[in-house]
Each structure stands twice: as structure tokens, then as C-alpha cells.
Amino acid sequence: MTEDSQRNFRSVYYEKVGFRGVEEKKSLEILLKDDRLDIEKLCTFSQRFPLPSMYRALVWKVLLGILPPHHESHAKVMMYRKEQYSDVLHALKVIRFVSDATPQVEVYLRMYQLESGKLPRNSSFPLPKAFEQYLNLEDSRLLTHLKMCSAVSKLPYDLWFKRCFAGCLPESSLQRVWDKVVSGSCKILVFVAVEILLTFKIKVMALNNTEKITKFLENIPQDSSDAIVSKAIDLWHKHCGTPVHSS
């Protein structure tokens, strides 16, 4: 039996006996022991599996480029990053992209966009088009209902795609979505939005008013969040494939 076959067998066994994630945690710990962290493998791991909470902050910082791959540089770089945070925040206030009244979630987004050279000239995002495309593939009748109610253009896209569901999903579910976003797959946001509509289809179909539909989607029941994220990840894999390590 090859090493990959043995690993797959162990993963299936752990899942069947109720210890799903044990093998994945061990694999991540092996990756984190390297003197120079392998960014590509960390990205692939984050897209395939939920990150253990004890390692999430470290992995996110490395994937976002906040920390370098080399362990020995982390302490010094973090000191520089704190100074950089203050400088970037000041710059955003000077150019009036944020103010003291700006929600913290949006401040963090703008800081990242400025640092990565992606600060938009306007607030338009292309994700709503992809959302409409995949919702049509999954449930064209539901999309037709939204169009008939003139609700498609009024859905909470800012909450979904600008804030990346912060303020919509509870933290435990949100972290699983952001694992994918941080590792480079923003498209997961589209499938979370689609799955929200699919999960609450009966409720949405019963509403014929744009304002009521939007208000409901902005305040969805929290007890369904974990299931929504799990199904959204399945949809993401269905339409985009499952990430694998490159050789």
C-alpha cells in the first residue's frame, strides 16, 4: 500500500469512528514544523479541510503574507507589522476611504486592499453576476421568483461579498468560510450566498416584497449556519473541483 493510500485509509477510518479531523490535524502539524513553510501546501490544506482553531491565526498570517515562511523571522516581522498597521490606517483616513465611524470589518478589508494594490475606485464587485449564474444552475425557479419581485439587485451583496459574511454568520461558521478566502478562493462566498437562498427557499418563495426578502436574508437564523457552510463547500467542490497538492 502506498503512503497516499495509507493516509486515505486512515482518514476514512478516523471519520467512521467519529474522529474526523485527527489525521488532518497531524498533517498540518507536520507542515508547520518545516523551517520554511510551504505556502502552496498550506493553501491546498486550507481549501480542502477546516483549519484547527489553535493554528488558524498562524496559517492565516502566513497565507496573507503578514508573516514570512521562515519561523525565525516571525517575531521581528510582527513588530514591523504593528507599525505598518498604524501607517496604513492613517493613509486610509487621509484619502477618506475610512473614518472613525467605519465598521471595523470594512476597515480591515480596505487595509488589505490598499496593501495589495486592489483598493477599488468604486464599490462595485463582480461576484453578484457569478451568484446569479450558479443560483440559476441550482434552482432556476428560485432565481425567477427573485427577478419577478425585483429583488435580485437589492440582495445584501455588501454583507455577503464586501464583509465576507461578517455580521451574517456566527464566528464558528465564518472561520470555515474565511479559511477558503484567505487561502485564495473568494468564490466560496458566491456558493455560501447561493446555499443561503437554497436553504431558506420556502421562506423566500413565500415573500413577494423586495424589502422583506432583503431584511430576512440580512438576519438569517443562526442555527442553520454550520449546515449552510458545509453544503456551500460541497457546492464549491461540485462546480470548481477539489484542490489537490501539486507534485
Side-chain angles (χ1 to χ4, degrees):
M1 184 180 290
T2 66
E3 183 179 346
D4 287 342
S5 298
Q6 289 177 337
R7 177 171 294 181
N8 290 336
F9 173 79
R10 288 197 300 270
S11 296
V12 171
Y13 172 76
Y14 280 129
E15 185 169 347
K16 284 187 176 180
V17 297
F19 290 97
R20 183 179 182 180
V22 172
E23 184 71 10
E24 286 77 11
K25 182 181 177 183
K26 289 183 178 179
S27 298
L28 179 59
E29 288 173 345
I30 291 173
L31 291 177
L32 294 177
K33 285 180 180 178
D34 291 341
D35 290 335
R36 188 182 190 282
L37 300 177
D38 190 315
I39 304 298
E40 183 179 356
K41 288 183 179 179
L42 287 176
C43 278
T44 302
F45 183 95
S46 299
Q47 292 186 26
R48 294 191 67 182
F49 311 109
L51 289 170
S53 58
M54 63 187 299
Y55 297 122
R56 178 170 279 117
L58 172 60
V59 174
W60 282 14
K61 287 176 182 178
V62 172
L63 293 184
L64 290 171
I66 295 171
L67 290 176
H70 299 282
H71 281 289
E72 65 272 13
S73 303
H74 285 185
K76 178 177 273 189
V77 170
M78 277 308 299
M79 181 180 68
Y80 293 145
R81 286 298 189 186
K82 290 177 181 179
E83 296 175 358
Q84 184 181 18
Y85 175 92
S86 298
D87 291 341
V88 174
L89 181 59
H90 177 69
L92 285 170
K93 288 182 176 180
V94 169
I95 61 178
R96 298 183 180 180
F97 255 84
V98 302
S99 67
D100 291 337
T102 304
Q104 198 64 43
V105 169
E106 187 172 343
V107 172
Y108 292 149
L109 172 62
R110 295 306 185 193
M111 292 180 78
Y112 172 72
Q113 289 175 329
L114 181 59
E115 279 288 282
S116 59
K118 298 176 181 178
L119 193 65
R121 294 184 178 180
N122 55 61
S123 59
S124 62
F125 280 74
L127 289 175
K129 294 182 180 179
F131 161 77
E132 189 173 335
Q133 173 191 347
Y134 288 111
L135 180 59
N136 184 56
L137 290 173
E138 292 297 320
D139 196 321
S140 58
R141 183 165 170 261
L142 180 53
L143 177 60
T144 298
H145 172 73
L146 293 174
K147 288 183 175 179
M148 289 180 64
C149 295
S150 301
V152 175
S153 62
K154 303 295 184 181
L155 296 178
Y157 295 123
D158 281 2
L159 177 63
W160 292 349
F161 303 142
K162 284 188 181 180
R163 299 186 184 181
C164 302
F165 293 95
C168 175
L169 300 176
E171 185 175 328
S172 59
S173 302
L174 189 66
Q175 288 173 342
R176 296 169 60 202
V177 175
W178 283 19
D179 284 345
K180 316 306 178 190
V181 175
V182 169
S183 60
S185 295
C186 290
K187 210 165 190 178
I188 185 65
L189 300 175
V190 171
F191 294 106
V192 174
V194 169
E195 186 54 45
I196 286 175
L197 266 297
L198 296 177
T199 297
F200 298 110
K201 174 181 177 178
I202 295 177
K203 175 67 175 179
V204 173
M205 293 289 284
L207 299 173
N208 295 310
N209 179 282
T210 300
E211 184 178 348
K212 290 181 179 180
I213 291 175
T214 301
K215 185 176 181 180
F216 172 76
L217 293 175
E218 288 176 340
N219 300 277
I220 61 172
Q222 301 288 287
D223 55 0
S224 303
S225 298
D226 284 341
I228 287 172
V229 172
S230 295
K231 291 178 181 179
I233 292 173
D234 289 341
L235 276 181
W236 175 55
H237 288 161
K238 171 185 173 182
H239 291 284
C240 301
T242 302
V244 295
H245 288 304
S246 59
S247 56

